[in-house]
Amino acid sequence: MLRTRRVPGFVFVVASLALAPCAASAQSIGGDSMMFDVPNYGQSIFYGSVFTEDYRNKVSGKARKAKASARAEQRLARAESRTSSARDVPVAAGGNEAVYPRDAYRVSYDPSVSDAVKSDYIRGMAQSTNEKTARELDTYYTRNDVRDLFNTAIKPYGLRDDDLADITSAHLVVMWMTANDAPLPTTDQVHGVVAQIQEQMAESGASPPDAATRQRIAEAMMYQTVTLIRVREQAQAQNATQYLVTLADSAQDVMARQNVDLRALSLTSSGLELR
C-alpha cells in the first residue's frame, strides 16, 4: 500500500540508493530498531480488542455478518463524508451504533511540535542503530517533509492527515503488508481497517488529551510508516531477500507485543479478519 511513488526526488532516492548521500542503506537499519516508538496513550486505543484473537473468535456467525454489513454501510457513509463538510461517521461498536468522536482525534500541525518530533525520531534512530544512519535520515527528512511523503502515500486511498484514525490505519496496513510480504491493498480493504480503528477508538472511550499530544502521536506514526515504506521498497529494488525476511519478522514481533498477530489476519474489505 501506500507507496511514495510518483514523488519527484523520492523515487530517485529509492532507485539510486548506493549513490544518494541522503539515503540510508536498507541493511543499515536493522529490524526492530527501525520501529520507532509511538508516544503511549494506551496502545489499546489504537490496536485494542478488535484485533486480538480472543475478540475476533467471538465475532462469528450472525454477529460476524452483522458487523461486516455495518462496516460496509460505514464505508459508504465515509466515502460520502469525504465530499461534504460532515466529518462524524457512524460506526458499529459492540453491536450498537456509536459515533466515532472525530474532533477528539483531530490532528493539527504546529511547526514547533513537528520539529520536536523529528528531533526525537532522529535521536532515537541514533540510539537504536548508529550515528551514520541517523545523520542520513536527518538529511533525508530535512530535504523531504515527512507529512508530504505520507500524504502522497495515503492520497490514493482517500485518507487524511488530520484524522488520527486514518493515520493509525495507514500505519497498521503498512505493518501488515510488511509482516506478510503483501502487495498493495485495495481502497475497500483500507477503508475496512479504518472502520475497525474507528470502532476501537469509539469503544475505548479515551483520546489523547491535547492537540500537541495528538500531533506527536500522528507524526511519530508518519515517520515510522514512511521509513518502513522506503526501506522495504529499497530492499525490494535491491533484491535483498534476507533483509525483507528480517524486516517482516520485526513488524510481526512489534505488533505481537501488543497482542496482535499480523500473520493470523487476512486483509479484506471488512478490514483485518482471522484467517
Side-chain angles (χ1 to χ4, degrees), residues 5-64:
R5 59 190 177 196
R6 302 191 185 94
V7 183
F10 187 88
V11 173
F12 174 77
V13 166
V14 172
S16 57
L17 260 346
L19 301 177
C22 65
S25 166
Q27 288 76 10
S28 72
I29 303 179
D32 205 31
S33 64
M34 201 211 60
M35 304 302 178
F36 180 57
D37 288 336
V38 174
N40 183 15
Y41 264 83
Q43 287 290 65
S44 62
I45 295 176
F46 308 121
Y47 305 127
S49 62
V50 297
F51 297 108
T52 64
E53 184 174 356
D54 288 345
Y55 181 89
R56 305 306 292 171
N57 280 333
K58 292 176 183 177
V59 183
S60 59
K62 292 181 179 180
R64 192 181 189 88

Side-chain angles (χ1 to χ4, degrees), residues 88-159:
D88 287 325
V89 181
V91 297
N96 298 313
E97 184 178 87
V99 175
Y100 166 59
R102 198 175 300 276
D103 285 342
Y105 293 100
R106 180 94 59 187
V107 180
S108 56
Y109 291 91
D110 180 332
S112 64
V113 175
S114 294
D115 289 344
V117 174
K118 179 174 179 284
S119 295
D120 288 345
Y121 174 71
I122 299 302
R123 187 182 308 112
M125 292 301 292
Q127 293 171 351
S128 62
T129 58
N130 54 65
E131 290 289 346
K132 180 177 182 294
T133 295
R135 286 195 302 271
E136 290 170 341
L137 286 171
D138 189 15
T139 300
Y140 180 76
Y141 283 120
T142 297
R143 295 178 178 177
N144 301 276
D145 183 77
V146 70
R147 188 178 168 197
D148 288 344
L149 294 174
F150 185 80
N151 272 315
T152 298
I154 66 173
K155 185 177 180 180
Y157 297 91
L159 304 187

Side-chain angles (χ1 to χ4, degrees), residues 32-254:
D32 205 31
S33 64
M34 201 211 60
M35 304 302 178
F36 180 57
D37 288 336
V38 174
N40 183 15
Y41 264 83
Q43 287 290 65
S44 62
I45 295 176
F46 308 121
Y47 305 127
S49 62
V50 297
F51 297 108
T52 64
E53 184 174 356
D54 288 345
Y55 181 89
R56 305 306 292 171
N57 280 333
K58 292 176 183 177
V59 183
S60 59
K62 292 181 179 180
R64 192 181 189 88
K65 291 179 181 178
K67 290 179 77 67
S69 176
R71 288 196 182 108
E73 292 178 3
Q74 192 275 337
R75 288 196 302 275
L76 178 60
R78 182 180 179 78
E80 292 173 350
S81 76
R82 297 299 183 187
T83 58
S84 69
S85 59
R87 294 287 290 150
D88 287 325
V89 181
V91 297
N96 298 313
E97 184 178 87
V99 175
Y100 166 59
R102 198 175 300 276
D103 285 342
Y105 293 100
R106 180 94 59 187
V107 180
S108 56
Y109 291 91
D110 180 332
S112 64
V113 175
S114 294
D115 289 344
V117 174
K118 179 174 179 284
S119 295
D120 288 345
Y121 174 71
I122 299 302
R123 187 182 308 112
M125 292 301 292
Q127 293 171 351
S128 62
T129 58
N130 54 65
E131 290 289 346
K132 180 177 182 294
T133 295
R135 286 195 302 271
E136 290 170 341
L137 286 171
D138 189 15
T139 300
Y140 180 76
Y141 283 120
T142 297
R143 295 178 178 177
N144 301 276
D145 183 77
V146 70
R147 188 178 168 197
D148 288 344
L149 294 174
F150 185 80
N151 272 315
T152 298
I154 66 173
K155 185 177 180 180
Y157 297 91
L159 304 187
R160 296 174 53 150
D161 73 350
D162 65 350
D163 187 323
L164 197 55
D166 281 10
I167 296 166
T168 304
S169 299
H171 176 268
L172 179 58
V173 170
V174 169
M175 293 289 278
W176 182 87
M177 284 174 55
T178 303
N180 290 278
D181 191 23
L184 295 176
T186 67
T187 299
D188 279 351
Q189 289 170 338
V190 173
H191 287 183
V193 174
V194 172
Q196 289 177 305
I197 291 291
Q198 289 184 338
E199 175 185 342
Q200 180 60 42
M201 290 180 174
E203 285 184 348
S204 73
S207 65
D210 57 79
T213 300
R214 290 194 296 275
Q215 182 182 349
R216 285 180 178 274
I217 293 170
E219 290 195 87
M221 283 194 282
M222 286 182 188
Y223 275 107
Q224 181 171 326
T225 302
V226 170
T227 303
L228 183 51
I229 293 170
R230 177 184 175 214
V231 171
R232 184 170 181 250
E233 288 186 341
Q234 172 189 334
Q236 289 171 333
Q238 295 178 340
N239 293 317
T241 304
Q242 186 53 53
Y243 182 75
L244 286 168
V245 171
T246 300
L247 198 62
D249 289 344
S250 296
Q252 169 72 5
D253 291 344
V254 165

